[in-house]
Amino acid sequence: MPGRSLTALRAAITAFFALDGLIFAGWVVRIPDIKHQTHASAGALGLALLGVSAGAVLTMPLTGRLCRRYGSHPVTVVCMVVLALSVALPPLTHSAPALGAVLLLFGAGYGGVNVAFNSAAVDLVAASGRPIMPSFHAAFSLGGMVGAGLGGLVADSLSPTRHLLGLTVIGLLVTAVAGRTLLRCEPPKPPERAPAQAAEAAETAEAGGGSRRGVVVVFGLVAMCTAYGEGAMADWGALHLQQDLAASAGTAAAGYACFALAMTIGRLTGTTLLARLGRARTVVAGGTVAAAGMLLGALAPSVWAALAGFAVTGLGLANLFPVAVDQAGALAGASGVALASTLGYGGMLLGPPAIGFMADWFSLSTALTSVAALAAVATLLGLATRHAFTDTASPGR
């Protein structure tokens, strides 16, 4: 594929990542309003949010098969249309069961588009021969930051119905523009790995203390621990600030904006960090920083200290997911990327309902400390498999 086509394709895929973050953040900053509208308890809201998880879990395997049959590009476009349309539905509900039902569709769109555009990105990264995967995840974080920031600005002036309908319009417009590029371009075919590279990957897996698939699963668990924190911050961060610390709706929305901004900065500087520390140390350091930041964010007695904790958490978690997926791909190619990504997004989608149940049993601030606990688990997994990490560019990436 000519370089100009690769550049256009990269821009289109980046736009879909950013749009995904924008739509998702726009939804999560209005969760407190939707909770009030539906008169749901924390536990009932957690069950409703489980609709996102269920929709995504049911859709992800099907999306993988659709990508293999029809290609990742048209599947990305279709799933993004579903996501953009479904984000306007939650404000139309007035009970937790109805909210859970529409979130099934939202989850189907969200899970499907994440599998599809990650598959498209993997193909492009392999074809370009450059380690550009963190830039796509940075676009998602940037979209999330913008979405949360805009949500905070309009929270007091626009109803959730008008706000989320506006996101639907934006989503469809961006999809119409970027989707044309995706539909015109065939997915680039990744080069075959050389025998020497495959042998080196196998030796790396053995050095990590287990079979190649076993180490890939560990990398997937690192991604899951990281994404659990992202999902918890997205769905429960604003509510924690508003409910436990008496923050206004606009300030509460700023909580996820701080987290997303820190994630964006961390991912944009991730290449430099990896060059200085290496992948294993980056995972260990990131998990440690995230655990400390989330303890501050969950237990701080003031809004501003909690916001600082959210930002530190974002910096710590920023590069764990991209590194885990990259290393899974280095060991097992596209199947490794798929496994790690599925585990990772499973953590993002299943975490928020778990937080809801724990909030009912204990308190929301206590429930959020589970993010710190899983960040610490990611640190331990990084230490345990530190010999399985490679500190050179992944083959074909």
Side-chain angles (χ1 to χ4, degrees):
M1 180 177 288
R4 183 176 298 178
S5 296
L6 283 177
T7 300
L9 187 56
R10 179 180 179 183
I13 296 173
T14 299
F16 276 103
F17 269 85
L19 179 61
D20 187 50
L22 178 75
I23 291 176
F24 189 72
W27 146 245
V28 300
V29 298
R30 301 314 295 249
I31 286 177
D33 296 313
I34 302 300
K35 178 180 183 293
H36 177 74
Q37 175 181 302
T38 57
H39 307 288
S41 66
L45 180 61
L47 283 174
L49 293 175
L50 192 60
V52 179
S53 307
V57 168
L58 291 173
T59 304
M60 282 180 172
L62 174 61
T63 305
R65 292 194 291 271
L66 291 174
C67 286
R68 288 192 295 272
R69 182 170 181 178
Y70 299 107
S72 58
H73 293 181
V75 176
T76 296
V77 174
V78 172
C79 289
M80 184 57 80
V81 169
V82 173
L83 181 66
L85 291 173
S86 62
V87 74
L89 299 179
L92 304 180
T93 63
H94 297 281
S95 67
L99 177 62
V102 301
L103 289 181
L104 276 171
L105 181 61
F106 182 80
Y110 182 75
V113 79
N114 273 275
V115 170
F117 64 40
N118 268 291
S119 298
V122 166
D123 291 339
L124 180 60
V125 169
S128 68
R130 298 169 54 201
I132 59 175
M133 182 64 82
S135 70
F136 295 119
H137 291 273
F140 173 84
S141 297
L142 181 60
M145 181 192 69
V146 173
L150 289 175
L153 290 175
V154 305
D156 295 326
S157 58
L158 284 182
S159 67
T161 301
R162 293 184 176 182
H163 175 202
L164 298 184
L165 181 60
L167 289 182
T168 293
V169 174
I170 293 172
L172 294 177
L173 289 175
V174 173
T175 301
V177 175
R180 292 181 61 189
T181 300
L182 280 188
L183 296 176
R184 284 200 309 262
C185 297
E186 290 290 330
K189 295 182 179 180
E192 294 293 330
R193 304 166 96 201
Q197 292 174 329
E200 181 182 352
E203 291 174 3
T204 301
E206 291 174 3
S211 67
R212 187 186 307 182
R213 183 174 177 81
V215 178
V216 169
V217 170
V218 172
F219 288 138
L221 292 175
V222 171
M224 183 177 67
C225 291
T226 304
Y228 177 97
E230 291 188 53
M233 289 299 301
D235 282 3
W236 294 102
L239 188 61
H240 168 60
L241 293 174
Q242 206 167 5
Q243 173 181 292
D244 298 331
L245 299 177
S248 66
T251 302
Y256 185 67
C258 288
F259 175 78
L261 174 60
M263 288 278 287
T264 303
I265 293 172
R267 285 173 171 172
L268 289 174
T269 58
T271 300
T272 301
L273 184 67
L274 289 170
R276 292 185 177 180
L277 296 182
R279 291 178 172 87
R281 290 182 180 178
T282 296
V283 169
V284 172
T288 302
V289 169
M294 198 61 238
L295 286 176
L296 174 62
L299 303 178
S302 70
V303 172
W304 299 111
L307 290 175
F310 288 178
V312 173
T313 303
L315 285 174
L317 294 180
N319 291 297
L320 270 64
F321 191 100
V323 168
V325 172
D326 175 70
Q327 290 298 277
L331 285 175
S335 62
V337 173
L339 176 58
S341 297
T342 300
L343 286 172
Y345 284 112
M348 176 179 285
L349 297 168
L350 294 175
I355 295 286
F357 292 128
M358 287 186 283
D360 265 357
W361 296 333
F362 307 105
S363 67
L364 182 53
S365 60
T366 301
L368 286 173
T369 62
S370 63
V371 175
L374 286 182
V377 170
T379 300
L380 294 176
L381 291 173
L383 285 170
T385 58
R386 61 188 180 277
H387 298 299
F389 285 85
T390 58
D391 287 324
T392 56
S394 302
R397 297 172 74 90

